[in-house]
Amino acid sequence: MISKDIEQKLIALAKEAQERAYVPYSKFAVGAAILTETGDFFTGCNVENISYGLTNCGERTAIFKMVADKGPKAKIKAIVVTTKADIPCTPCGACRQVIQEFSTPETVIIYKGSEGYSRVSMDQLLPGAFTEFVALDHTGSSTRIQKGI
Ligand code: THU
């Protein structure tokens, strides 16, 4: 849970970030703002590419900035996604998986839905997320690999 004041601050930060979006192709500017578990704020915007598939969404830009600045143990307490003209935008599938990587059961994801801002948990945003697998080596022995460090 985060306070209404912090949520408003995150929305304002995301809206500032969306002004910096590089969106010559879609013209759809997206902003994101993160509050980490240690109380730090990070922002991101979408950065498009002429080779469309290389586009980086606002959410992932913010998350990669968070890790680059705070290191691999950083965790998201809350992430807000905003768009120009307040057009509804839920995090895309790729971003859901990347948010999941740095989330906890308490992480809150806030985005503009069709009726105001929606607040959801990671379990609601990406039920049954891929968070572990079994790796086999050449001898046939298996190791369980789980999300995180
Ligand atoms: N976009 C985001 O930045 N975040 C999302 O979760 C959905 C989509 C961007 C990617 C692209 O630049 C534009 O929105 C249109 O898809």
Side-chain angles (χ1 to χ4, degrees):
M1 279 294 284
I2 54 166
S3 68
K4 277 281 157 210
D5 281 359
I6 294 290
E7 182 176 308
Q8 285 310 313
K9 179 174 169 143
L10 284 167
I11 291 171
L13 285 171
K15 288 203 162 288
E16 270 172 46
Q18 89 196 9
E19 296 303 319
R20 299 188 284 272
Y22 178 74
V23 288
Y25 311 109
S26 75
K27 319 281 189 219
F28 187 63
V30 178
I34 290 172
L35 171 66
T36 67
E37 288 216 315
T38 52
D40 298 292
F41 290 92
F42 290 95
T43 61
C45 59
N46 47 340
V47 182
E48 297 188 341
N49 192 277
I50 183 70
S51 164
Y52 286 25
L54 293 178
T55 292
N56 208 61
C57 291
E59 299 91 314
R60 278 177 287 144
T61 303
I63 291 169
F64 297 154
K65 280 173 66 183
M66 174 189 83
V67 176
D69 278 7
K70 285 288 154 188
K73 291 189 178 161
K75 291 276 179 287
I76 301 167
K77 187 175 171 81
I79 180 166
V80 167
V81 187
T82 63
T83 62
K84 268 232 163 107
D86 280 342
I87 293 165
C89 177
T90 74
C92 78
C95 287
R96 289 176 195 216
Q97 186 68 38
V98 176
I99 297 167
Q100 157 63 234
E101 188 75 27
F102 299 99
S103 72
T104 71
E106 284 74 48
T107 298
V108 189
I109 302 99
I110 302 163
Y111 58 88
K112 190 74 202 323
S114 47
E115 284 158 35
Y117 282 95
S118 296
R119 296 155 194 85
V120 296
S121 69
M122 201 58 235
D123 269 355
Q124 292 170 299
L125 192 67
L126 189 60
F130 177 63
T131 56
E132 64 173 49
F133 67 97
V134 173
L136 293 174
D137 69 17
H138 67 284
T139 68
S141 68
S142 59
T143 312
R144 186 156 161 246
I145 310 286
Q146 286 179 292
K147 179 190 100 169
I149 52 172

